Amino acid sequence: MSVQAWGIVIGVATSALLALGPWMFMVHAKLAVIAARLADLGEKVEKSAESHGELWSRYAHHETRLETHDVQFAHIAERLQEM
């Protein structure tokens, strides 16, 4: 290749880089924002899952207590009927 052909190739490559450079930085910035939002969303989902599990365990505990109270009330009712 001649010097003139190399000059044209380098000029076209430089023009392409200068034209695509700002666009690439913009895309990179948008991807960084998306990644940060995904990380925040992941943390929120983890917290939500933990609180959901805690609420279900409380529900199970309260349900057990209610069943125990029902049994106790039934026993008291039987004893009152015997009197």
Side-chain angles (χ1 to χ4, degrees):
M1 283 180 93
S2 67
V3 174
Q4 188 178 22
W6 278 109
I8 292 171
V9 170
I10 291 173
V12 169
T14 304
S15 296
L17 285 175
L18 290 175
L20 293 176
W23 176 79
M24 288 175 22
F25 284 117
M26 180 186 66
V27 169
H28 177 71
K30 286 183 180 181
L31 289 174
V33 169
I34 291 170
R37 287 185 181 174
L38 282 175
D40 292 340
L41 183 62
E43 291 175 4
K44 287 180 183 178
V45 167
E46 287 179 14
K47 288 179 183 177
S48 175
E50 289 175 4
S51 65
H52 184 72
E54 181 180 336
L55 288 174
W56 271 108
S57 68
R58 285 184 184 181
Y59 169 79
H61 178 70
H62 287 293
E63 184 69 24
T64 304
R65 288 180 62 192
L66 286 174
E67 289 174 359
T68 303
H69 287 114
D70 286 342
V71 169
Q72 289 175 349
F73 286 144
H75 182 68
I76 290 173
E78 286 177 8
R79 288 183 62 189
L80 286 175
Q81 286 179 355
E82 289 175 2
M83 292 178 137

